[in-house]
Amino acid sequence: MKAKIDERIKEEYEAKIIGKFKIYLGNKLYAKGKNKWTRYFVSSLVQIVANPGIHGRYENCTTRLISYNYTARAGNDTTTPTSPDMTDLVSKIDIAPDTQNIVLFKEADYTKYQSRHKFSWGAGTIPAQIIGEFGVYLYLSDDSWTSPNETFPVANNTYCPYINPAVRLGARISSGDGDFDPIDYDSSEALIFEWYVTIKF
């Protein structure tokens, strides 16, 4: 019996956007898994797809996209689950990574594309403490638009990819969600956090 056409379409052509992470203590992999998105990340992706372009010039909208001023932070909270409306970590350790970079990957058959944001805190950068959450901060909309919204005007005939853009929490990884066991971090080795966005179709 042949599969129904809608089932075939779903199986063969459905695209997936997946956020994953890896945590390293020094060179040793400590944990890996999937992140939880905030609504600001998803809203910003939709706005980029819907935006017709940038006309004129405006302070917040020239060519700044999701990874403009990107960064990450660790936090202490070990019990709070992630919700889509979170704007920050529950108990943020406000210490920036010592190094960070972005790498892109693609499959030869064009069915998988991936970005990796890598954040590293060297030994001694974060004092010894319990670490139970990580957050990725990106240049995102505040999701203040109402639905439906046909345009994205800002000023002076400018159309911005985002509405009220700023660096906001885009993804969270936490012990409260069961993503990893809390880390009893002793600060003697590097803490490395890798965040991946994968699109497969």
Side-chain angles (χ1 to χ4, degrees), residues 3-154:
K4 294 180 180 179
I5 187 66
D6 57 345
E7 293 176 353
R8 287 177 55 200
I9 289 172
K10 181 177 181 181
E11 180 180 344
E12 296 176 15
Y13 302 109
E14 184 179 62
K16 297 180 180 180
I17 301 177
I18 306 166
K20 294 186 177 183
F21 73 90
K22 292 180 181 178
I23 300 169
Y24 291 86
L25 296 177
N27 295 321
K28 184 179 179 181
L29 178 65
Y30 180 83
K32 63 180 180 178
K34 294 182 180 179
N35 70 221
K36 305 295 187 300
W37 305 110
T38 68
R39 72 179 201 252
Y40 310 110
F41 179 80
V42 179
S43 170
S44 297
L45 286 182
V46 170
Q47 290 177 44
I48 289 174
V49 172
N51 191 268
I54 299 171
H55 310 286
R57 185 176 180 85
Y58 186 67
E59 180 182 358
N60 290 326
C61 302
T62 49
T63 55
R64 298 172 183 172
L65 295 177
I66 282 179
S67 282
Y68 172 73
N69 275 350
Y70 74 98
T71 190
R73 293 292 187 274
N76 301 124
D77 181 78
T78 62
T79 59
T80 308
T82 304
S83 63
D85 62 346
M86 276 189 168
T87 60
D88 210 345
L89 293 180
V90 175
S91 181
K92 181 167 64 178
I93 304 165
D94 202 6
I95 300 174
D98 295 313
T99 62
Q100 58 187 50
N101 62 61
I102 302 173
V103 179
L104 297 174
F105 307 91
K106 69 177 180 180
E107 294 293 325
D109 63 357
Y110 311 111
T111 59
K112 179 180 175 182
Y113 291 80
Q114 185 176 65
S115 65
R116 184 196 70 193
H117 291 60
K118 183 176 181 179
F119 307 93
S120 300
W121 292 267
T125 297
I126 295 179
Q129 59 195 289
I130 298 296
I131 294 175
E133 55 183 341
F134 290 88
V136 179
Y137 296 80
L138 304 161
Y139 196 59
L140 303 172
S141 160
D142 71 355
D143 195 22
S144 62
W145 52 279
T146 57
S147 179
N149 188 352
E150 295 184 3
T151 61
F152 298 89
V154 179

Side-chain angles (χ1 to χ4, degrees), residues 169-183:
L169 182 68
R172 182 172 180 257
I173 296 89
S174 73
S175 299
D177 291 309
D179 296 331
F180 66 95
D181 292 331
I183 302 169

